[in-house]
Amino acid sequence: MASLPVSQGVSKRAQWFLGVSACFALLFVWLPLQKLLWQFLFALLLTAVALPISRRMEKRLNRALSAFFTVVLLVLFVLFFIGMLVPPLISQITLVVSEAPQLYTWLLDVWDQFRQTEIFRLLDLEGLSPASWLSAAAKWAADSLPGMISGIGAGIDTLSRAFLSPVLAYYFVRDRETFSYQLSMWVPAKHRKRILTALQEMRREAGGYVRGQLLVALVVAVLTSLGLLIVGVPAWLALGLLMGICEWIPYIGPLIGGVPIALFSLPMGISSLLWALGVTILVQQIEGYVLSPRLMAGATGLHPVYVLVLLSAGGLLWGLPGMVAAVPAFVCIRGAVRVLYETRK
């Protein structure tokens, strides 16, 4: 009996040594692991979208066929979507770049006319001008361009390596109980039920948020693009896709996406500007009163103040990706903490 504390002490020291060694080993292989991690993230995202579809198909087909057809259909849809959108999107981006000098000249003319008004003199806006805005934008672009080019290159390289993600997603969907059981064996038996319940809540929260947000962003992008096409705004597809991407940023995202729409509709006249803003506001009303209540009901349940604080914190820590990931990460953590607190006894 006297040797029991010694063996326990040796065991704890051995566990501590193994943990420290594993951390150092992880640091040495972190860069290769990052590329593999992105493949797993793509696979998990594809799994979150494919899982409810596969469950419906399993009523008529076996699980292997359901998982296979679901993943293949989703991959084909993504490839078709990219193939249909990339050529016109490139042409519209080229159009935007070619029209940027004309837009700047038009802004200078409008500013010169505004300088002659009494309001300009009352507000004392002499220190502000489109030239100063352009200088600040050029300085920001010069400072950010190397990082943006590096990020684009890394993104292209990451997407090129994502070919393994559909295969992983197929096995995640087909053998989901097996993976769940194997992962549960890593949790101590006395805490297993609480931890697994918390993980299940995190998966439910994350899956519901991602699926709902994808559908909302897709519908907003389509409706905005069609509306801008009808009113005759140039680069309607690029602006609509930008609005759909900004939809991932709660509250302030539509404001960010609305600024380019206003800028590229202004040179066409006040009526075009009003029509473009009307389309944007109408789509946002549809999103706020129809889409989000149906697709995102109960997904967050956060007060707007908390959402804005999360966006600010995410933006300060990780920039735009942090703003996008702040709310879903908090929702997942909140769900896990709630389950752990409710089952603490």
Side-chain angles (χ1 to χ4, degrees), residues 43-328:
L44 291 175
L45 179 61
L46 192 59
T47 302
V49 179
L51 189 57
I53 304 175
S54 179
R55 282 174 173 166
R56 290 181 178 272
M57 295 182 65
E58 287 171 11
K59 297 177 180 179
R60 297 181 178 272
L61 301 173
N62 62 56
R63 176 171 294 185
L65 287 177
S66 300
F68 176 78
F69 285 129
T70 302
V71 173
V72 168
L73 288 176
L74 287 176
V75 171
L76 291 177
F77 173 77
V78 171
L79 294 177
F80 175 78
F81 190 75
I82 294 175
M84 291 291 292
L85 291 183
V86 167
L89 187 59
I90 293 176
S91 64
Q92 290 194 9
I93 292 176
T94 305
L95 176 64
V96 168
V97 173
S98 64
E99 289 186 352
Q102 300 177 6
L103 178 61
Y104 177 65
T105 303
W106 181 86
L107 286 174
L108 285 178
D109 294 338
V110 173
W111 183 261
D112 291 336
Q113 295 176 10
F114 180 61
R115 290 180 63 185
Q116 308 302 322
T117 62
E118 187 66 26
I119 299 177
F120 182 87
R121 287 187 286 271
L122 291 175
L123 295 178
D124 192 17
L125 301 176
E126 192 63 41
L128 299 177
S129 67
S132 63
W133 304 340
L134 182 63
S135 176
K139 183 179 182 303
W140 175 82
D143 295 338
S144 304
L145 189 59
M148 293 172 61
I149 294 176
S150 176
I152 292 173
I156 294 175
D157 179 69
T158 301
L159 288 175
S160 66
R161 297 173 182 273
F163 64 92
L164 186 63
S165 300
V167 180
L168 293 175
Y170 164 74
Y171 286 112
F172 287 161
V173 175
R174 193 193 72 173
D175 302 326
R176 51 186 182 267
E177 284 88 358
T178 302
F179 286 111
S180 299
Y181 175 75
Q182 291 175 349
L183 290 174
S184 67
M185 292 297 101
W186 291 81
V187 182
K190 62 179 181 179
H191 302 298
R192 187 171 299 163
K193 184 176 181 180
R194 294 181 65 204
I195 299 298
L196 293 182
T197 306
L199 292 176
Q200 184 178 9
E201 182 67 14
M202 292 179 67
R203 185 189 67 180
R204 187 188 68 82
E205 295 273 8
Y209 183 88
V210 170
R211 286 190 295 268
Q213 196 64 48
L214 279 174
L215 289 175
V216 170
L218 179 61
V219 174
V220 167
V222 171
L223 292 179
T224 305
S225 299
L226 291 177
L228 296 179
L229 174 63
I230 292 173
V231 301
V233 175
W236 52 271
L237 180 59
L239 295 173
L241 288 177
L242 178 62
M243 182 62 76
I245 294 172
C246 291
E247 194 65 33
W248 284 86
I249 306 175
Y251 298 109
I252 64 175
L255 297 177
I256 298 174
V259 172
I261 294 176
L263 286 177
F264 283 96
S265 58
L266 262 175
M268 302 173 60
I270 298 299
S271 61
S272 297
L273 171 64
L274 294 177
W275 277 110
L277 292 179
V279 167
T280 305
I281 294 173
L282 177 62
V283 172
Q284 290 303 311
Q285 294 301 309
I286 294 174
E287 183 270 335
Y289 290 99
V290 179
L291 297 177
S292 291
R294 291 179 177 272
L295 300 177
M296 300 290 292
T300 58
L302 295 175
H303 193 276
V305 173
Y306 300 149
V307 175
L308 293 176
V309 170
L310 288 171
L311 293 177
S312 300
L316 289 174
L317 292 175
W318 299 291
L320 184 60
M323 296 178 70
V324 174
V327 174

